[in-house]
Amino acid sequence: MQIDTIKQTILPALMQILPADAILSEQEDLHPYECDGLSAYRQTPLLVVLPSSIEQIQQIMKLCHQHQVAVIARGAGTGLSGGALPMADSVLLSLAKFKQILDIDPLARTANVQPGVRNLAISEAAKPHGLYYAPDPSSQIACTIGGNVAENSGGVHCLKYGLTVHNILKLDIVTVEGERLTIGSEALDSPGYDLLALMTGSEGMLGIIVDITVKLLPMPEQAKVIMASFDDIYKAGNAVANIISAGIIPAGLEMMDKLAIKAAEDFIHADYPLDAEAILLCELDGNTIEVDELIPLAEKVLLESGASETRLAKDDTERAKFWQGRKSAFPAVGRMAPDYYCMDGTIPRRELANILKRIADLSKEYELPVANVFHAGDGNMHPLILYDANIEGELERTEEFGAKILEACVAAGGTITGEHGVGIEKIDQMCVQFKTAELSQFHAIKAAFDPAGLLNPGKAVPTLHRCAELGAMHVHEGKLPHPELPRF
Amino acid sequence: MNNLTNDLQAQILAAYKNKTHCRIEGGNSKAFIGNAPPDSQASINISTAEHTGIISYDASELVITARSGTTLHEIKQALAENNQSLPFEPPSFADSATIGGTIACNLSGPARAYSGAARDFVLGSRIINGKGDDMQFGGQVMKNVAGYDASRLMAGAYGTLGLILEVSLKVLPLAQTEITIKSQQHINSAIKNINALSAQNWPISASVYLDGHLYIRLNSSEMNCLSASQAISQKINATEIADSKAFWTSITEQQHAFFDTSQSIARLSLPATAEDIEPGGEQLIEWGGALRWLKTDLPIQQLRDTARTLGGHVTAYKNYPQATEYFQPLAPGMHSLHQRLNKAFDPAGILNPGRLYKEL
Ligand SMILES: Cc1cc2nc3c(=O)[nH]c(=O)nc-3n(C[C@H](O)[C@H](O)[C@H](O)COP(=O)(O)OP(=O)(O)OC[C@H]3O[C@@H](n4cnc5c(N)ncnc54)[C@H](O)[C@@H]3O)c2cc1C
């Protein structure tokens, strides 16, 4: 169907469901929805709808299903893998109006929220009860909890407190056919398959998340952070393994390399050591007794691992400053070049030093600088490649460089994405990580929820043909990937 | 160490071709969980018991990978040598218990409410689906969002989506000290107290309410446990019990006298703070109120209706010959989604058919 024809059929029907100001169809209104956090990819959607009730979402889904029009959910649009990238003939469904925290139960330690609620808003609302929501992506002031569930987002504190999947209890979803289903419960388990796990990280491909109950945790009585400086990044990598081997599970264990340190320091003045090759931020939290016991132990391990200096933040103000440098590292690095590209590969911790070396080599080869700032405790790398999209061919070179990093992560026993999702960005690397049978299984899972493929089509899981075409170009060690597929 | 991958795959491939129903078993220690297999249907047994061995374990990675037939005992021992453990404290029920069966049943012990369930620690799994495809999902790293989380989906699927070949689990360091305190409480105040305490920074790792007493286990450094034990004991008038380890083993393994009965035992999974449903029978309450074992003569349907209105569900755990479904039936929309998902993994319906639900 032609784009204009689709618009003409469904626009009048949508106007029956939604008030006029909840439908955007003019070019200039659609403009802000062209891309998410992966701004190198842009596409104007057919229409944007901004429903404000679950019933409206159900009706929109029924309508689009009836006309076989694709629907793409969007939270805050901070996703870094192009998951919320529109298509020219699809409806973009924004959850922006679902901003209410419906209930906080301090005794049960749960919060029931709408999907458009910002991650940080949950912790702010829980604070008077001495509780908070643990997963804390660096984008937490902006990103929505619905987006977090769809990406299984993590953050600085996931080493100790887990990812989104570990911190949610219950979801209501609207299916592609407009049916409302409840998944999980306020109890600790539910009968049947673990659809809560399946929905988490499903990138808007299996259903629209319309209601979420999250777990809240008691705010730690005390949190202290040590900043350890290293004159050698590999020593810092080994220090991470040594901390864990000592039986310490820090609340967060983050690494920044020299370029990231400099960027953050210029931007935030966090008092980072500019002469260090790497720093580790090691945060311990819990009750006063355990934190006081663990701090000296952690300091000892860090020094024994070759730290040239360790500094304990003397109070909460200094602690916040140390973290602010880390949490603003992306925008800080962003000031050093016109564009940056953030990778998200995850590896076993023991491979940290090797991968960092590989990234450094690739950086030389591609003549593109890289800043490393990442969740070291989880082995979740975030190399930021600096480039200039206005220089012809530089984006392509950057993407190729990024792809090489991800392939190195897979080869090291890791994965192409720890927390940012596959989206459109890493779809080709999925062919590297998974075999044909596994990709077919993913497609079968998708079909169980969405047989016609109308929810966020083309994202997250590549078609087998795509992998076969790609395989024709990437012959690894003389072995053709997906050999059973026809080549064209 | 014994790798039966090819053999197991051949068995499932043959069954797929011939549409033969397969009963997957590990150590057979959890055979009583789930619907009993229908007598009429001819089926073969596929055993993972000889598919054994820890494939990799690096303590500083906090990850262990083992073949599904590896006994829980062997895994716990390997971890203990490195001062680590499976944080979800899975029950064995018999020495033969395997890690594959544990994950397939998503079984967790007393620590569940405080550390997480078996499913929370699954990092990756290698499975054979009902078409005989050998597939690897997830991996050995802490974070992984590439593709749908099919590895965690195996937890609690009772083998109906695939035979688990290998599983990678996150492990954690063992705490230095353990102390258990006990206090006489009315049931509703026990539920309130344990939840209120859990909203603070105490190192609580398990709780049980039994015979009018609330038991709270503390796990942490010695100093932290002692200080917490003192403070909580003062608050709720508790005293330390003598043999903490033996007590919790009796709960985890259901060797406690409570479970020694020919009466029906229902497993109620409820929101933790739900008040006592006053069922009239004896109860043992774990997980801060979220898991309630009930010895009862009440019809299962009545219990299920009550649980549903409270936001929970009921499993016909033991001695329930009259229950038509072992697990609480699903809402219609969810049931058909389950059927479609089951087909996506097992199109011929040969893997443990009926064990989870009669029509699955
Ligand atoms: C500066 C910066 C720092 C970041 N730091 C982190 C970090 O530390 N950790 C981390 O994990 N991520 C991080 N991110 C990535 C991003 O913020 C997360 O992926 C976030 O969860 C996306 O939320 P969102 O509301 O913006 O979702 P969107 O970008 O709008 O959407 C993301 C995906 O979810 C789907 N989706 C959104 N809402 C729903 C819904 N209600 N139902 C179904 N599907 C839905 C979309 O279709 C899309 O596929 C960062 C991003 C930026 C820009």
Side-chain angles (χ1 to χ4, degrees):
Chain A
M1 236 192 308
Q2 284 297 307
I3 288 176
D4 285 343
T5 341
I6 306 176
K7 207 166 180 167
Q8 275 158 20
T9 18
I10 77 160
L11 192 54
L14 280 171
M15 287 179 16
Q16 304 288 313
I17 302 172
L18 297 166
D21 62 357
I23 306 174
L24 310 178
S25 62
E26 300 298 329
Q27 266 308 314
E28 75 242 39
D29 297 331
L30 298 176
H31 197 64
Y33 297 90
E34 272 181 353
C35 68
D36 60 10
L38 184 73
S39 55
Y41 294 82
R42 287 172 189 275
Q43 172 64 56
T44 314
L46 179 70
L47 294 166
V48 174
V49 290
L50 295 133
S52 53
S53 73
I54 296 177
E55 293 70 28
Q56 287 174 350
I57 295 183
Q58 289 183 271
Q59 287 175 327
I60 295 167
M61 295 311 291
K62 276 185 192 140
L63 178 75
C64 290
H65 187 249
Q66 185 192 341
H67 295 281
Q68 297 283 292
V69 174
V71 178
I72 296 167
R74 180 183 168 107
T78 67
L80 291 172
S81 54
L85 178 74
M87 299 195 318
D89 55 358
S90 71
V91 167
L92 192 81
L93 191 160
S94 164
L95 282 307
K97 290 192 175 163
F98 289 79
K99 280 193 180 314
Q100 268 186 51
I101 295 180
L102 300 169
D103 183 40
I104 289 189
D105 184 337
L107 189 61
R109 291 151 280 131
T110 58
N112 178 224
V113 301
Q114 292 187 325
V117 169
R118 290 175 306 113
N119 172 296
L120 188 61
I122 302 177
S123 290
E124 283 167 351
K127 197 172 173 188
H129 306 288
L131 302 168
Y132 76 114
Y133 176 64
D136 56 343
S138 307
S139 51
Q140 69 183 149
I141 51 168
C143 65
T144 66
I145 186 71
N148 292 173
V149 175
E151 299 286 11
N152 192 14
S153 296
V156 161
H157 289 96
C158 288
L159 177 58
K160 183 167 173 189
Y161 297 107
L163 307 162
T164 305
V165 71
H166 302 108
N167 287 281
I168 57 172
L169 290 168
K170 180 169 160 237
L171 299 174
D172 272 20
I173 66 164
V174 171
T175 67
V176 71
E177 280 125 8
E179 188 181 6
R180 182 172 174 173
L181 298 178
T182 299
I183 288 171
S185 72
E186 276 145 38
L188 289 180
D189 48 35
S190 300
Y193 297 137
D194 194 345
L195 300 187
L196 209 55
L198 203 52
M199 284 306 299
T200 312
S202 65
E203 304 195 19
M205 310 259 301
L206 303 182
I208 310 291
I209 299 154
V210 297
D211 184 283
I212 302 155
T213 301
V214 302
K215 272 198 270 192
L216 301 173
L217 297 182
M219 285 164 66
E221 195 173 271
Q222 194 177 57
K224 285 191 172 174
V225 64
I226 305 169
M227 178 165 69
S229 320
F230 293 85
D231 58 11
D232 174 349
I233 193 159
Y234 309 118
K235 284 187 196 161
N238 292 331
V240 171
N242 294 342
I243 288 270
I244 306 285
S245 298
I248 304 172
I249 305 294
L253 187 56
E254 301 280 310
M255 198 194 292
M256 294 169 78
D257 73 0
K258 195 170 188 120
L259 194 53
I261 297 169
K262 178 166 183 343
E265 192 52 29
D266 289 351
F267 188 40
I268 293 290
H269 310 295
D271 217 0
Y272 286 168
L274 286 168
D275 53 345
E277 284 299 318
I279 57 170
L280 278 180
L281 291 174
C282 175
E283 175 151 301
L284 296 158
D285 74 2
N287 69 30
T288 314
I289 295 178
E290 61 184 312
V291 175
D292 286 347
E293 277 181 330
L294 286 177
I295 284 284
L297 184 59
E299 276 183 319
K300 182 165 165 273
V301 175
L302 289 165
L303 287 170
E304 280 171 6
S305 306
S308 39
E309 189 198 0
T310 60
R311 264 161 63 196
L312 181 66
K314 59 179 182 296
D315 51 24
D316 274 349
T317 319
E318 193 171 47
R319 178 178 155 254
K321 207 159 88 176
F322 283 3
W323 278 118
Q324 204 191 352
R326 163 63 186 94
K327 289 213 172 183
S328 9
F330 287 13
V333 169
R335 291 171 6 129
M336 302 178 88
D339 301 282
Y340 71 87
Y341 185 38
C342 172
M343 310 310 295
D344 181 40
T346 302
I347 50 161
R349 273 179 287 264
R350 61 174 172 270
E351 297 289 339
L352 270 179
N354 291 335
I355 287 285
L356 286 167
K357 172 137 196 345
R358 175 86 180 122
I359 295 173
D361 290 348
L362 285 166
S363 168
K364 278 196 204 111
E365 187 184 325
Y366 282 88
E367 294 175 5
L368 292 167
V370 176
N372 280 294
V373 38
F374 60 100
H375 312 300
D378 285 318
N380 185 190
M381 317 283 297
H382 285 329
L384 302 168
I385 308 174
L386 306 185
Y387 73 102
D388 182 351
N390 287 325
I391 299 177
E392 180 147 348
E394 198 152 302
L395 171 63
E396 290 72 21
R397 226 168 65 226
T398 303
E399 287 187 324
E400 195 182 308
F401 177 5
K404 286 259 167 77
I405 297 179
L406 297 187
E407 285 161 26
C409 290
V410 175
T415 173
I416 57 174
T417 175
E419 59 180 14
H420 293 166
V422 174
I424 195 72
E425 180 208 10
K426 295 183 259 307
I427 196 135
D428 287 339
Q429 282 73 46
M430 285 290 282
C431 309
V432 179
Q433 186 164 337
F434 293 101
K435 300 185 301 250
T436 304
E438 291 145 0
L439 293 171
S440 303
Q441 188 64 70
F442 287 147
H443 286 298
I445 293 172
K446 163 83 169 164
F449 284 79
D450 175 20
L454 294 175
L455 282 168
N456 212 3
K459 309 277 173 64
V461 186
T463 62
L464 297 177
H465 282 168
R466 187 181 180 114
C467 289
E469 281 181 65
L470 196 80
M473 294 182 289
H474 287 264
V475 180
H476 182 61
E477 291 171 351
K479 274 182 266 166
L480 199 63
H482 309 277
E484 63 286 15
L485 293 172
R487 310 278 144 175
F488 21 79
Chain B
M1 271 289 217
N2 198 13
N3 183 356
L4 290 189
T5 302
N6 294 340
D7 192 41
L8 291 165
Q9 190 178 21
Q11 290 184 57
I12 293 186
L13 269 173
Y16 176 54
K17 276 207 192 93
N18 306 323
K19 298 221 169 2
T20 317
H21 287 187
C22 308
R23 288 167 65 178
I24 304 171
E25 59 183 38
N28 235 358
S29 61
K30 278 104 198 171
F32 68 96
I33 301 181
N35 288 330
D39 304 326
S40 54
Q41 187 70 43
S43 65
I44 55 163
N45 278 12
I46 298 188
S47 172
T48 59
E50 302 294 317
H51 181 59
T52 55
I54 294 171
I55 297 171
S56 68
Y57 170 43
D58 179 347
S60 81
E61 293 293 330
L62 303 177
V63 180
I64 190 163
T65 301
R67 296 202 179 92
S68 48
T70 315
T71 60
L72 257 187
H73 178 77
E74 182 182 341
I75 290 184
K76 285 183 186 172
Q77 205 166 18
L79 294 174
E81 279 165 19
N82 287 278
N83 246 329
Q84 296 186 335
S85 71
L86 295 173
F88 52 99
E89 222 178 349
S92 291
F93 297 151
D95 294 344
S96 59
T98 66
I99 191 66
T102 300
I103 297 304
C105 301
N106 189 28
L107 283 183
S108 316
R112 192 294 167 229
Y114 310 91
S115 316
R119 57 87 82 174
D120 289 310
F121 294 89
V122 174
L123 297 175
S125 53
R126 181 171 168 194
I127 66 158
I128 304 175
N129 69 6
K131 294 194 292 178
D133 298 325
D134 172 357
M135 301 178 292
Q136 171 74 55
F137 296 109
Q140 302 188 344
V141 289
M142 292 295 139
K143 297 163 97 174
N144 190 349
V145 292
Y148 304 118
D149 196 347
S151 67
R152 213 181 294 279
L153 189 62
M154 296 302 132
Y158 293 88
T160 61
L161 299 178
L163 177 146
I164 300 172
L165 282 173
E166 294 164 15
V167 53
S168 295
L169 298 170
K170 177 175 174 175
V171 301
L172 284 176
L174 276 168
Q176 210 178 23
T177 307
E178 168 173 326
I179 294 179
T180 298
I181 52 176
K182 167 183 175 180
S183 146
Q184 194 169 11
Q185 303 260 319
H186 179 269
I187 184 164
N188 281 329
S189 58
I191 290 171
K192 225 182 231 132
N193 278 331
I194 184 62
N195 280 288
L197 289 167
S198 301
Q200 297 161 4
N201 279 265
W202 306 112
I204 297 176
S205 69
S207 71
V208 153
Y209 182 76
L210 175 70
D211 291 336
H213 287 88
L214 174 64
Y215 296 78
I216 300 176
R217 184 177 68 186
L218 304 163
N219 272 122
S220 186
S221 70
E222 191 178 346
M223 194 153 79
N224 199 17
C225 281
L226 283 173
S227 144
S229 142
Q230 241 171 32
I232 299 175
S233 295
Q234 240 170 34
K235 268 186 203 215
I236 61 165
N237 194 17
T239 50
E240 190 175 334
I241 70 164
D243 199 345
S244 178
K245 287 259 188 298
F247 175 74
W248 291 104
T249 305
S250 78
I251 302 292
T252 311
E253 297 298 340
Q254 303 189 340
Q255 292 156 349
H256 191 277
F258 174 90
F259 292 97
D260 187 12
T261 176
S262 54
Q263 231 187 327
S264 302
I265 300 182
R267 177 191 188 274
L268 279 68
S269 178
L270 297 178
T273 51
E275 288 211 343
D276 183 21
I277 63 163
E278 299 182 11
E282 208 186 326
Q283 289 186 79
L284 186 153
I285 301 181
E286 294 188 68
W287 300 0
L291 179 62
R292 306 184 189 189
W293 304 99
L294 177 60
K295 281 196 242 178
T296 178
D297 299 322
L298 288 177
I300 189 84
Q301 193 51 49
Q302 190 184 330
L303 283 173
R304 284 184 168 157
D305 291 343
T306 308
R308 187 177 288 125
T309 54
L310 292 169
H313 64 101
V314 180
T315 306
Y317 189 69
K318 259 188 184 163
N319 310 329
Y320 261 110
Q322 74 279 26
T324 45
E325 289 280 7
Y326 187 83
F327 298 103
Q328 179 138 338
L330 302 166
M334 283 290 274
H335 187 75
S336 50
L337 180 57
H338 273 66
Q339 286 178 318
R340 294 196 301 275
L341 194 59
N342 179 264
K343 274 237 142 49
F345 281 86
D346 178 20
I350 56 167
L351 302 179
N352 283 353
R355 178 146 188 192
L356 191 51
Y357 289 106
K358 293 258 157 78
E359 289 168 39
L360 208 69

